[in-house]
Amino acid sequence: MNPKYRDIIDAAFFFHLDRQKNWQELHKRDRALFLEYVPKDGQEDSARLLSIWLAAQRGKQCIDTESIGTIVSKALSRIHLILLVISFFVGISATTTFLYYSGTTPINIFSFIIIFIGSQLCTITLALLVRLIRSLGQGQKSLSPPLIRYCLALFTSFLAGPLIAKFPAEKRLNYEHALGILKQNKGYSVDLSSLFNRIHQSASISLNIGLLFGALYKIITSDIAFGWQSTLRLSTEYIQTMVQIVSAPWNWSSLLAHANPTLEQIAGSRIILKDGIYHLANQNLSSWWPFLILCLLTYGLLPRILLFLIALLQERKSLQSSTTRRAEYQKLFHRMRTPIYEQKSEKEPGQTIGADATDKDRRFSHTGDEQSQTGHQATVTVLIAADIRNARHDNILKTLLLQHGYRAERLITFMADYASDQEIVDQLALQNSKQHCPIFIVMEANMVPLTEFLSYVQTIREKTQTTVEVLLVNSLADGSLVSPKETETLLWQQKIAGLGDSFIQLFPITLGEIQ
């Protein structure tokens, strides 16, 4: 199953709702779906897992109403259809108005080519240059170009808002949620430019079809005279050379090659104001229309069809890869594939497993997970701040990560000095170039997240192109580790969210989980 826009939007909304739930609750819920719908040796690709999860969430959250993704998808389809109709009639109106012939002044072919063909070629070239500059100038591009975000904000503020107020109360909240997702800059999990690029190209195709219909209508129903004139001293031979160059795409056809005006017809359609047009022959003045129609078809409609096909392929690729470009999807698939472990301690009930705990004190069993033996464990690299790193803390952190389905392959001390920290970044980049490995960074929660640390995290993310999770703990005087306070977590969460990278997040832990 290839994801659709309704799936991506629904997933973004459900992920937003899940932020209020702890990791254990989400793990149990998602793992239960995996065990219920995925057989032991069955297909468990990401697309199928996402389909199972979305179906379950829609069944719970959208019982008596349509899902937010369905609402937005229907709205976009209607807007798309309206744009196609408007573009078609704008094209017809443009050519029928331009080709109005009063009988005294022929239509200048230069004006026709510049307005209806040259403007489109300039627009296409400018759009390609902007796209190239954005791709080369930004390593981490925003999901939506500023113009698209501005159009969305304009639509939601001035058009959609008043319309939503007229809906019944039971549907109004869902529409407001949908608009909230659309207006988010980095919370939207698919590149909006691919969607709007496809809509733009399809509207341009409709516009060019309208231009062709309007031009052919005027040519068939009216006696239109075409000619050429310019203040520049252009010879008929020069004009013929330009015609041959422009008509190169269809000159290979003996049939279409006769659509080009001959040298005599070019000379006979030259307009000189002081001489008037009464001495010009009608067959020369009407010889240009096949050439102009083919120009409009070749340089107007066909490039738009080609760009539409490219946009369609890019959109499909964007949708297919949308589940790999955001950390929320990776965490969802990890929760579904990871067995649920239960910690069993050899100590007395109620006794804390603290800093003096050893591996012998900890045993893990699968909680009725029938697919535990084939469970998923991701290998991760753990960076631990130098002021809290010791062997006993290492054991506690390994235990915690194992409970969440992560196996700590490497534990590295950082924040000792600048040189060693930079060397760690280079080592991580080399490691992830060979094998993808998420990175966990363990920090004391009572420390303020300084700009230098946040910049260091961003550097790791850029160099490794992998998920970076910040795990907050507090070290007590007796050497044990405790979970952070709610105020500390909130501060760190705000700072990390300000980085604008969904692959840099706080690792979800709850009070008492690592005590």
Side-chain angles (χ1 to χ4, degrees), residues 85-262:
V85 174
I86 292 176
S87 299
F88 178 75
F89 284 104
V90 166
I92 291 179
S93 301
T95 46
T96 53
T97 302
F98 182 85
L99 294 178
Y100 174 76
Y101 177 51
S102 61
T104 57
T105 305
I107 306 298
N108 193 336
I109 62 164
F110 292 150
S111 299
F112 184 93
I113 293 175
I114 291 174
I115 293 175
F116 295 114
I117 299 172
S119 60
Q120 293 196 70
L121 293 178
C122 290
T123 302
I124 293 173
T125 303
L126 181 61
L128 293 176
L129 286 176
V130 171
R131 194 176 186 88
L132 178 62
I133 292 174
R134 289 182 65 245
S135 63
L136 295 178
Q138 297 183 5
Q140 189 72 21
K141 297 185 292 183
S142 61
L143 292 178
S144 308
L147 180 60
I148 292 179
R149 296 199 300 271
Y150 174 77
C151 293
L152 280 174
L154 188 67
F155 169 76
T156 55
S157 299
F158 296 99
L159 296 178
L163 290 176
I164 287 178
K166 300 179 181 180
F167 283 104
E170 62 272 11
K171 290 188 176 182
R172 192 180 306 152
L173 183 60
N174 281 343
Y175 278 90
E176 290 174 349
H177 279 309
L179 291 181
I181 291 176
L182 280 177
K183 287 192 290 186
Q184 289 181 19
N185 180 11
K186 298 180 177 62
Y188 199 53
S189 51
V190 67
D191 190 348
L192 285 178
S193 62
S194 61
L195 167 65
F196 283 88
N197 187 31
R198 175 177 61 83
I199 294 177
H200 169 239
Q201 298 306 332
S202 61
S204 298
I205 291 174
S206 181
L207 174 68
N208 278 276
I209 293 175
L211 293 174
L212 285 170
F213 267 82
L216 290 173
Y217 171 78
K218 291 293 293 185
I219 290 170
I220 293 172
T221 60
S222 305
D223 185 13
I224 302 177
F226 294 93
W228 63 278
Q229 62 179 347
S230 175
T231 305
L232 304 177
R233 295 175 179 268
L234 302 178
S235 64
T236 55
E237 291 78 9
Y238 179 80
I239 298 298
Q240 185 186 37
T241 301
M242 296 304 297
V243 167
Q244 292 297 323
I245 294 175
V246 172
S247 63
W250 64 82
N251 276 340
W252 57 271
S253 173
S254 58
L255 179 63
L256 296 179
H258 293 293
N260 301 337
T262 63

Side-chain angles (χ1 to χ4, degrees), residues 265-469:
Q265 291 172 331
I266 293 174
S269 59
R270 182 173 185 177
I271 304 171
I272 301 176
L273 292 180
K274 66 181 183 66
D275 296 336
I277 66 169
Y278 298 103
H279 67 286
L280 301 178
N282 184 59
Q283 63 269 24
N284 295 331
L285 294 175
S286 62
S287 63
W288 282 98
W289 76 262
F291 172 79
L292 295 177
I293 292 297
L294 286 176
C295 284
L296 193 58
L297 179 66
T298 304
Y299 297 103
L301 181 60
L302 292 182
R304 291 298 183 178
I305 293 177
L306 177 61
L307 290 174
F308 173 78
L309 295 176
I310 294 175
L312 190 62
L313 292 175
Q314 290 178 338
E315 182 184 27
R316 290 182 178 178
K317 182 180 178 181
S318 175
L319 286 171
Q320 290 172 354
S321 62
S322 60
T323 56
T324 63
R325 293 207 317 266
R326 301 211 32 110
E328 291 88 349
Y329 291 95
Q330 301 308 307
K331 290 184 177 181
L332 168 63
F333 301 144
H334 179 76
R335 292 195 301 265
M336 296 183 76
R337 292 180 174 129
T338 302
I340 297 177
Y341 295 89
E342 183 179 75
Q343 178 177 301
K344 292 184 179 296
S345 174
E346 294 183 358
K347 293 181 177 292
E348 295 296 329
Q351 187 174 357
T352 299
I353 300 178
D356 59 339
T358 64
D359 290 336
K360 183 180 178 180
D361 294 323
R362 298 181 179 84
R363 298 291 185 269
F364 295 93
S365 66
H366 306 296
T367 58
D369 199 328
E370 296 178 359
Q371 297 185 24
S372 295
Q373 299 304 322
T374 59
H376 172 79
Q377 281 191 358
T379 300
V380 299
T381 299
V382 183
L383 272 60
I384 307 176
D387 54 348
I388 60 173
R389 175 76 190 275
N390 59 56
R392 292 178 293 181
H393 288 173
D394 291 353
N395 290 332
I396 298 176
L397 293 172
K398 288 180 179 180
T399 300
L400 172 64
L401 293 175
L402 185 60
Q403 286 179 301
H404 288 75
Y406 296 102
R407 181 170 58 87
E409 184 179 61
R410 298 178 61 197
L411 282 78
I412 304 173
T413 303
F414 82 113
M415 292 187 69
D417 57 76
Y418 178 82
S420 60
D421 286 349
Q422 299 306 310
E423 184 178 348
I424 290 173
V425 174
D426 296 335
Q427 292 175 358
L428 294 175
L430 179 61
Q431 168 187 303
N432 279 273
S433 65
K434 300 176 181 178
Q435 180 182 6
H436 179 77
C437 184
I439 297 171
F440 282 75
I441 301 179
V442 182
M443 290 290 294
E444 281 208 83
N446 53 24
M447 294 180 59
V448 178
L450 300 176
T451 304
E452 291 79 3
F453 170 76
L454 297 176
S455 177
Y456 184 70
V457 173
Q458 284 183 305
T459 302
I460 293 177
R461 163 72 181 133
E462 293 172 0
K463 294 283 187 179
T464 61
Q465 291 297 303
T466 189
T467 303
V468 179
E469 300 274 2

